[in-house]
């Protein structure tokens, strides 16, 4: 089962996203990112405020999300680009798996 998930993740995420996920894991912000992406998938926007301890963590998260096919607006809404659902679903699975594995 884990092989299927990791195969799906690597097939859908770009190398840049995988590197950003690794950095997110090192900074221990995966759970915050997971909550942000979960909110987007369920509500269709990035409503609510996710607090990051450093501006670098917030910029890393924005870059990760925007590589998934959406552009974030200041009000929390998103502008979808090239098939964002598949990319956001892959990002959600990756964040969920990393969050689960990191404890």
């Amino acid at each position: 089962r884990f092989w299927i998930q990791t195969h799906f993740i690597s097939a859908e995420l770009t190398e840049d996203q995988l590197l950003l996920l690794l950095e997110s894991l090192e900074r221990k912000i995966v759970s915050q990112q997971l909550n942000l992406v979960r909110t987007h998938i369920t509500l269709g926007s990035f409503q609510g405020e996710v607090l990051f301890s450093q501006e670098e963590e917030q910029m890393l998260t924005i870059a990760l999300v925007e590589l998934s096919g959406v552009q974030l607006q200041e009000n929390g809404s998103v502008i979808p680009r090239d098939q964002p659902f598949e990319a956001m679903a892959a990002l959600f699975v990756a964040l969920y798996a990393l969050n689960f594995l990191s404890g």
Side-chain angles (χ1 to χ4, degrees):
R1 181 176 171 182
F2 183 72
W3 179 85
I4 293 170
Q5 288 177 336
T6 56
H7 179 70
F8 175 72
I9 291 167
S10 64
E12 295 293 331
L13 297 180
T14 66
E15 185 176 334
D16 289 339
Q17 285 176 297
L18 293 173
L19 292 172
L20 290 173
L21 283 171
L22 179 60
E23 188 172 343
S24 297
L25 189 59
E26 291 172 355
R27 291 178 179 266
K28 299 181 187 326
I29 60 171
V30 170
S31 64
Q32 292 170 295
Q33 292 172 330
L34 175 61
N35 289 334
L36 183 73
V37 172
R38 180 183 293 130
T39 299
H40 168 68
I41 288 173
T42 57
L43 298 177
S45 69
F46 289 100
Q47 296 177 356
E49 189 172 333
V50 178
L51 300 175
F52 294 96
S53 61
Q54 297 179 5
E55 186 175 334
E56 290 176 11
E57 293 173 353
Q58 184 172 348
M59 297 308 292
L60 179 123
T61 302
I62 290 170
L64 184 61
V65 169
E66 288 188 346
L67 284 171
S68 294
V70 296
Q71 181 180 353
L72 293 174
Q73 302 296 300
E74 288 185 24
N75 66 0
S77 63
V78 296
I79 298 174
R81 295 188 311 228
D82 308 320
Q83 298 181 329
F85 180 77
E86 291 84 3
M88 288 300 291
L91 178 59
F92 178 79
V93 170
L95 289 168
Y96 183 86
L98 288 174
N99 189 55
F100 178 78
L101 294 172
S102 64

